Every structure is written in C-alpha cells, then in structure tokens.
Amino acid sequence: VRLVESGGGWVQPGESLRLSCVGSGFDFSRSFITWIRQAPGKALEWVSTIYVDSRFTMGEAVKGRFAISRDNSKNTVYLQMNDLRPEDTALYWCQTTIAREKVRGPGIQVTVSS
C-alpha cells in the first residue's frame, strides 16, 4: 500500500498549485482520500477529504480557494490550490485508511511567499 504526493513547490501569494496523490497496492476507487497539512510550529490540520462517490468536505481555512477531485482511472486524487496565501505554507500529505490503519505518503512541501 503506497501513496505518493507530487506537485508542491514555491509560489508567490495569489498563485496556484495542483497537488497530486497517486495510490497503489489497494483498491483506490473504493477508498476515501484525505489531505492534511502541517505548518512550521503548528498542529496537524485537516484540509479536505474526497469520498468514493466523489463527494467531498473541505476545511474552513481553504474553502472557496481549494478544490479536490479524483481520477480513479489514474489512481489519483488532486488538490487544486488557488489564491494561495503565506499561511498555506506547510508540508502536505495525502492519507487513507486501509484495514483500520492510516496510510500516509511521504509528504510534499508547499511554500507561499513573496
């Protein structure tokens, strides 16, 4: 079971990034995927979750700016991040639960600064 994030990097405030999370080793289409993040010196923060039927929930801090989607043909979940702010700077992970065990990718850094 494996998750791998990509698409992070450094951007200026107001710009966009799209994170990808590719899963392998499990039935991706039947799994919900969650994005979480941790900013320096802060607690882990839930960002968004997308469910099997593509319904999703979004955290208040990113609502209206971020969007989540999935392409089961590619075993991939996307996190489209628009109007990025310095407070979005964090290490981002995608995560799922398999047999009651949380599985998380290695993480990807997003830095927003001018």
Side-chain angles (χ1 to χ4, degrees):
V1 177
R2 191 173 180 221
L3 292 170
V4 179
E5 306 90 347
S6 64
W10 173 82
V11 294
Q12 294 190 337
E15 294 185 339
S16 299
L17 279 174
R18 188 177 77 161
L19 302 184
S20 298
C21 169
V22 179
S24 60
F26 63 101
D27 192 343
F28 189 88
S29 65
R30 300 178 73 174
S31 301
F32 67 87
I33 304 292
T34 292
W35 283 98
I36 55 176
R37 67 185 183 182
Q38 187 166 30
K42 294 193 175 181
L44 210 57
E45 178 185 20
W46 167 74
V47 177
S48 183
T49 298
I50 188 164
Y51 299 95
V52 171
D53 58 1
S54 292
R55 286 183 301 155
F56 63 88
T57 49
M58 194 71 69
E60 287 299 320
V62 303
K63 198 174 286 185
R65 299 187 296 122
F66 289 15
I68 191 170
S69 60
R70 66 190 300 157
D71 184 345
N72 290 333
S73 70
K74 297 180 180 177
N75 279 11
T76 302
V77 165
Y78 302 100
L79 185 69
Q80 177 67 43
M81 306 186 296
N82 300 323
D83 188 24
L84 282 160
R85 303 168 180 171
E87 53 264 38
D88 295 316
T89 295
L91 188 57
Y92 286 71
W93 294 269
C94 60
Q95 177 175 287
T96 191
T97 300
I98 305 292
R100 300 184 183 181
E101 294 286 332
K102 282 190 171 58
V103 177
R104 188 184 293 181
I108 192 84
Q109 179 67 37
V110 171
T111 301
V112 185
S113 81
S114 53

